[in-house]
Amino acid sequence: MSPRYDTILITGAAGRLGTELRRGLAPLARKLRLASRNGIKDLAANEESVTFDLADADAVMAAAEGCDAIVHFGGAPMERPWQEILDSNIRGSYHIYEAARKHGIRRVVYASSVHAIGFHRLEDHIDTNAPHRPDGLYGLSKCFVEDLGRLYWDKFGIETVSLRIFSSFPEPADRRHLWSWLSFEDCNRLTAAALTAPRVGFTVSFGISDNKEKPVDNRLAGHLGYNPQDNTEAYRDAMEAKTPVPDPKAPAVQFLGGFFVEMGHPDDEAAK
Amino acid sequence: MSPRYDTILITGAAGRLGTELRRGLAPLARKLRLASRNGIKDLAANEESVTFDLADADAVMAAAEGCDAIVHFGGAPMERPWQEILDSNIRGSYHIYEAARKHGIRRVVYASSVHAIGFHRLEDHIDTNAPHRPDGLYGLSKCFVEDLGRLYWDKFGIETVSLRIFSSFPEPADRRHLWSWLSFEDCNRLTAAALTAPRVGFTVSFGISDNKEKPVDNRLAGHLGYNPQDNTEAYRDAMEAKTPVPDPKAPAVQFLGGFFVEMGHPDDEAAK
Amino acid sequence: MSPRYDTILITGAAGRLGTELRRGLAPLARKLRLASRNGIKDLAANEESVTFDLADADAVMAAAEGCDAIVHFGGAPMERPWQEILDSNIRGSYHIYEAARKHGIRRVVYASSVHAIGFHRLEDHIDTNAPHRPDGLYGLSKCFVEDLGRLYWDKFGIETVSLRIFSSFPEPADRRHLWSWLSFEDCNRLTAAALTAPRVGFTVSFGISDNKEKPVDNRLAGHLGYNPQDNTEAYRDAMEAKTPVPDPKAPAVQFLGGFFVEMGHPDDEAAK
Amino acid sequence: MSPRYDTILITGAAGRLGTELRRGLAPLARKLRLASRNGIKDLAANEESVTFDLADADAVMAAAEGCDAIVHFGGAPMERPWQEILDSNIRGSYHIYEAARKHGIRRVVYASSVHAIGFHRLEDHIDTNAPHRPDGLYGLSKCFVEDLGRLYWDKFGIETVSLRIFSSFPEPADRRHLWSWLSFEDCNRLTAAALTAPRVGFTVSFGISDNKEKPVDNRLAGHLGYNPQDNTEAYRDAMEAKTPVPDPKAPAVQFLGGFFVEMGHPDDEAAK
Amino acid sequence: MSPRYDTILITGAAGRLGTELRRGLAPLARKLRLASRNGIKDLAANEESVTFDLADADAVMAAAEGCDAIVHFGGAPMERPWQEILDSNIRGSYHIYEAARKHGIRRVVYASSVHAIGFHRLEDHIDTNAPHRPDGLYGLSKCFVEDLGRLYWDKFGIETVSLRIFSSFPEPADRRHLWSWLSFEDCNRLTAAALTAPRVGFTVSFGISDNKEKPVDNRLAGHLGYNPQDNTEAYRDAMEAKTPVPDPKAPAVQFLGGFFVEMGHPDDEAAK
Amino acid sequence: MSPRYDTILITGAAGRLGTELRRGLAPLARKLRLASRNGIKDLAANEESVTFDLADADAVMAAAEGCDAIVHFGGAPMERPWQEILDSNIRGSYHIYEAARKHGIRRVVYASSVHAIGFHRLEDHIDTNAPHRPDGLYGLSKCFVEDLGRLYWDKFGIETVSLRIFSSFPEPADRRHLWSWLSFEDCNRLTAAALTAPRVGFTVSFGISDNKEKPVDNRLAGHLGYNPQDNTEAYRDAMEAKTPVPDPKAPAVQFLGGFFVEMGHPDDEAAK
């Protein structure tokens, strides 16, 4: 397969998932431009490093020049105080989309999150058309960027796939991960599918591996061609042994967002 | 895997499906308490026998003491006169749920039936949210117990999985079974999934093997993690040879419940 | 208008709503047969009294002879211990339907209740196809009779309209009634519509007046031709003055069933 | 009627709609606190003026003290460059919700807009659960605040009614307004309903008068009790005479958002 | 009001409904061009007569020249043998749409029929997106023309409103008409709304008066602004006295199409 | 397996797909009767040839005599002028259904097409209940025959499976085929499933192989038991290399029908 893209900008390239994407997306582009705040040293031949803060509009604009796709995994990766969420996730993502618009970049793949719909119940089996129900400021910023992507498609013709990543870690770490885990390999498969699907317009896809228990309905993303290959069965016994069976009425068990739904306000935490 | 439960009470343990569950559920509990009306003799080391009639509230209450799950497959397993349905299935199941409530048992897995929704049409491809449409007094009692389980979850926090078993026999016996059959192994898989799924609240699942023709949509039970492994293809030729192609407008062919929809009232039959 | 029916059997005729129906249904039949446990004395010329307990199958069968419609408002009208719910509402209603079947009575209008769907949320705006979610044993018995009516239509061709009455009192009595009230006149209009609509098969209708706030969607009962004429605006100020604004997260406020969802088990109450 | 609230904070009180709300909401509170950037001079006895910029978190916090409801109509009322949308609508609304949270204010009524769903088609007759499809940065900020309100309800128990106002002007001004107009009186009725409905949780309502042509389905807001009394029939001939029949395939005619969907990016406009 | 159109071509202008439309549509156009097979004599000043057979493509093309709207009520108005349905309704309507396309006529209002969806059940309360279920060759031709209109909108930008007229007669004539009647005045209102609604694309609307019993859901045609003013209550007693209460399981009572669903094949009838 | 049918009439037997069906359906019948306009020479022992034009009603009637199923793949296989579509596809299919009715043939399998729903968008993931949206006269004729099949089931009890074939060619030929391809083997599997499924009534199924990207939802045809075994992955690189990535807003990319949606009117083409 010849690379589909010339240069893909990957934001958050030094992060947990971004590091994996360097390997996973290598076959898809001639060049991966790796964006981080502190620079990346161990560059491969097909990689280049750009260093900037997402809150810096001019830097983002400059970094995106010459790219033909953006894989936007940057920004605060968890619940953080408002000012940080605002700068990194809201303003930062606006800068990304403006760069895409100004440079004529046709497709963005965005790392959204289960926390954009964290207050939906497990047993409601929502599909990707269900209304947003964020479970914190982090999730709220993910909702914002999804709507931003929708606008830039409807109005400016820039395609977006918004990946609602559930729990992407090296291994499942608790009982909830038994159904919410997304393996790194499947995360790479999903991101690659989002980059190569023939037409995506604005598409939202849930990001979960092929785990035995399935909490959501990803039917509406069928045109992406995402086929997860991993699952959590090998970890089941260990995870179940680790903690007692939880109370089924506990909010962290009822809702898709897990313990995020029980966290207080991050500005209160920060003020402590 | 260490057992998930200490003691599971299995009602109907001497019945067609109950007998299979003894094998299938053995790995899930330290002890299986086998309930029947006449006692079970061939007990394994992990089994104990309790003898009672479901219509006897006190006996049910006593039998459930010390259990942490109930697999309720007891009661009349087919269309029967009202008084028997009332005593065994309606009153009997109420006794089961009261025992669960009084003893703090957290989860019930119930053998509901296709006959709770037998008057829906095959081609309507209903999901588990479709309204009840029982096809006889037997199915009516299954509807009642489903609603009972729903109430005990919503109000008292006792989880239920209601399994709408289609046709669970050693082998398919007629053309309809080609799509409605649930193998004994898959019945065990389904019951085990219902016992081990991380959170079920009140969940209804259809119970069918992975047959080629699929009459219903089990999407809303995805969080159970039920993956059927059997199907009826090996029996197809024999079943098709056995009877002529039926009239597609015959009620027994149109509706999910099969010949139940054409049966008269059981009290009339009993009076003959 | 000439009467549509010859003789209508009204069960619960001595009750709060039954008393109103005597007036409201008078134009629809040559004769109203008023059923109660203790007899009714003040009979009008078009009325006759029959006395029996719904739990007595033979008495019900005898009482229904010669009727061509049954308006079934009898049985326990509120949360009661299981034995009473079982005898009056479950067994009693079975006797009613058997009488309809044996005597060839073509239509039953049943007083179901909001408590059959009391655990649905106000803001979900359910329609009449939403699954049952009873909020107590009373509501559970209402679910049972709805399914019974469905069966007797699908299998035996007896039509039923199941009226999910919300709060039918002389006047609204609290804040919740501002949206849940059904005036006596509207209750009569609804029952009359259920008796005269050209074809009902098995139909469920919500029973609420034309109150300003509308919690549910009665679209699927449009073929009944029910047009409520009353509303609660005249009572609003008084009701709002009576009690403080409640906590919007309180279950009795969240769910359609109101304070029923917060009641304990009636058998526990009875045992005190 | 005695006032339902003690003090309502109205933001945007000097704006087109805010001015009307002073009259419309007067009966609902003992005191209206009118927020604007430049102060309001002609105060009535039941009014007080507070002056601040929504972008100033401390000022917002101070202004909300002692209020028991917020009617948030402030911020940029049309498509504006990003920085202004960010400061006035995104950051400003966050400050409002933080003030509500810190001061224990229980309900917010928010002036959202048709432009939050402007890229949906007229003939799709969406209801309020349809996904966001903003038609510009203005609409994008409205989506953000809706999600913010949803979060503050789900997590912090603060109720919100989000009013998607279509076209609220003194009179209809063009053909599209014939179906999209919201009269000032109906805007007041809608806002009052949102303040007085018994329980709203997080509710979205479309804001249109009772115009003859109905483009959307407001069924899911039925519990608000909004009954519009005005319509555009008196303006029809004048509006139709004013402009020729438009091309039915023109985006501004196809989509709910009207000419907003055809506007370029406001930052480009600003840069000219 | 000044006329919205210059010249409207009305086909079937000599028919039962066409005759009424001459009066009803007069205010909407400078000129009504009345098409019939035999010519119309009593022309008013605003009318002109054209005479042709719909099966004659050239004649249709000529007749439509200079029109800016077509109200297509012509063709066989009831179940007829295939050859007549084919010539008058299928080929004839194709000629009409081709004429619209060639002459640049922007809107067609078509008299479709309940018989396009006659095999749906009354209690299913279908909306206008439900699949076609014709109840005879007549209904089949109505389905064809609806799809034809859909194609000419999607591909050629010609708008269509397809009116599924239920039972439009001077007065209701039987029990079914109590819910299916469309008064002539309401038929005129509906046709006028279809001609004047600001944008219709391809819209289907049910055509029924405001009768008490409502069998279908016309929500998706809300943008037409059709407000029926008549109903059948004045005829109820007479209609109910005329025939006994029908069997609720009879197909003619179950299905929307009434007795059409029970008619044999028209070619068999014709061959007798 | 013994053959399920005695004699299957295959129309279009000399066509691209018909030729494949001779092999694929051989095990299902004692005899295949191959219909074509010019006769078929290379007959196998289980085959016979009949020669006629679908527009000739008598010839169709004669050819179907003695058959117990019809696989109707004949008629114009692409966009053609109206007269040809009318004769071959509309009139011809009517003749087929009349032959089925007169000869008591119980099941028809019809080669419908994606072009019956070609104006639906890829990302809408329609199911088979979505309204028709033909993308040309060819697709319009497919819609007509689907409705014809529906009528003959509802009224005359003849079962139909309507196969909406997407792109069935020896190999994928362009990018769109990567998601729309139906291999010849899968076409045979689908047709065989449609012939052997126990009850089909009137069923519509999409016809696509198990390609990675899935544009539609075939859930409602689950009772057919169609399990595609092929996919386009082996052709992906070649197809992607062949043409540049297309504009995602181009109609031929947006809509299911592909380039058909951009074709002009076939009568205009023919007139050139």
Side-chain angles (χ1 to χ4, degrees), chain B residues 82 94 98 101 119 131-136 140 143 147-148 150-152 154-155 260 263 265 267-268, chain C residues 82 94 98 101 119 132-136 140 143 147-148 150-152 154-155 260 263 265 267-268:
Chain B
W82 167 244
Y94 177 76
E98 274 296 276
R101 184 172 73 88
F119 263 112
H132 290 153
R133 293 189 77 166
D135 57 23
L140 178 66
C143 296
D147 291 334
L148 179 68
R150 176 63 111 162
L151 170 64
Y152 274 66
D154 279 336
K155 197 158 207 166
F260 270 60
M263 291 169 63
H265 195 289
D267 289 3
D268 296 351
Chain C
W82 167 244
Y94 177 76
E98 275 296 276
R101 185 172 73 90
F119 262 112
H132 290 153
R133 293 190 78 166
D135 57 24
L140 179 65
C143 296
D147 290 335
L148 180 67
R150 176 62 112 159
L151 171 64
Y152 274 66
D154 279 337
K155 197 158 206 167
F260 270 59
M263 292 170 64
H265 196 289
D267 289 3
D268 295 351

Side-chain angles (χ1 to χ4, degrees), chain A residues 157-202:
Chain A
I158 298 168
E159 293 187 293
T160 286
V161 182
S162 182
L163 310 176
R164 289 184 185 158
I165 293 168
F166 275 54
S167 308
S168 202
F169 296 96
E171 304 196 336
D174 60 25
R175 281 174 178 269
R176 176 171 165 272
H177 287 182
L178 290 173
W179 56 259
S180 69
W181 189 56
L182 176 70
S183 74
F184 286 159
E185 289 308 309
D186 280 339
C187 185
N188 277 339
R189 285 183 190 103
L190 175 58
T191 309
L195 283 166
T196 58
R199 177 181 187 264
V200 300
F202 174 78

Side-chain angles (χ1 to χ4, degrees), chain B residues 138-187:
Chain B
Y138 172 69
L140 178 66
S141 73
K142 296 294 172 180
C143 296
F144 172 81
V145 184
E146 290 196 358
D147 291 334
L148 179 68
R150 176 63 111 162
L151 170 64
Y152 274 66
W153 163 247
D154 279 336
K155 197 158 207 166
F156 305 116
I158 297 168
E159 293 187 295
T160 287
V161 182
S162 181
L163 310 176
R164 289 184 185 159
I165 293 168
F166 275 55
S167 308
S168 201
F169 295 97
E171 305 196 334
D174 60 26
R175 280 173 180 271
R176 175 171 165 271
H177 287 182
L178 289 173
W179 56 257
S180 70
W181 190 56
L182 175 70
S183 74
F184 286 158
E185 288 308 309
D186 280 338
C187 184

Side-chain angles (χ1 to χ4, degrees), chain E residues 57-124:
Chain E
D58 292 340
V60 174
M61 190 63 73
E65 188 165 8
C67 295
D68 46 2
I70 302 179
V71 173
H72 180 36
F73 276 55
M78 68 189 80
E79 190 67 338
R80 299 294 302 154
W82 167 243
Q83 191 60 47
E84 183 174 342
I85 293 291
L86 181 70
D87 286 335
S88 297
N89 293 15
I90 293 179
R91 293 179 56 237
S93 298
Y94 178 76
H95 299 154
I96 288 289
Y97 273 90
E98 275 296 276
R101 185 173 73 89
K102 291 284 180 55
H103 293 307
I105 296 169
R106 296 296 296 270
R107 192 175 290 190
V108 177
V109 177
Y110 174 59
S112 181
S113 164
V114 63
H115 298 296
I117 40 97
F119 263 112
H120 281 285
R121 284 177 182 77
L122 186 64
E123 68 265 36
D124 285 346

Side-chain angles (χ1 to χ4, degrees), chain C residues 226-241:
Chain C
Y226 166 54
N227 291 306
Q229 303 294 322
D230 297 323
N231 68 64
T232 57
E233 285 312 290
Y235 306 92
R236 181 171 298 275
D237 288 352
M239 289 309 102
E240 295 193 346

Side-chain angles (χ1 to χ4, degrees), chain E residues 214-249:
Chain E
K214 304 193 184 314
V216 287
D217 175 353
N218 207 28
R219 183 184 79 251
L220 298 173
H223 54 289
L224 294 187
Y226 165 55
N227 290 306
Q229 302 295 322
D230 298 321
N231 68 63
T232 57
E233 286 312 289
Y235 305 92
R236 182 170 297 275
D237 288 352
M239 290 308 103
E240 296 193 345
K242 214 166 135 179
T243 49
V245 175
D247 176 0
K249 293 239 162 176

Side-chain angles (χ1 to χ4, degrees), chain A residues 122-125 175 179 212-214 217 219 237 240 245 247-249 253-254, chain B residues 1 4 106 153-154 157 159 196-199 219-225 227:
Chain A
L122 186 64
E123 68 264 37
D124 285 346
H125 282 274
R175 281 174 178 269
W179 56 259
K212 198 173 142 201
E213 288 104 4
K214 301 190 186 316
D217 175 354
R219 183 182 79 252
D237 289 352
E240 295 193 346
V245 175
D247 176 1
K249 293 241 163 174
V253 175
Q254 266 195 73
Chain B
M1 183 173 66
R4 186 181 176 101
R106 298 296 297 270
W153 163 247
D154 279 336
E159 293 187 295
T196 57
R199 178 182 187 262
R219 183 183 79 252
L220 298 174
H223 54 288
L224 294 188
N227 291 307

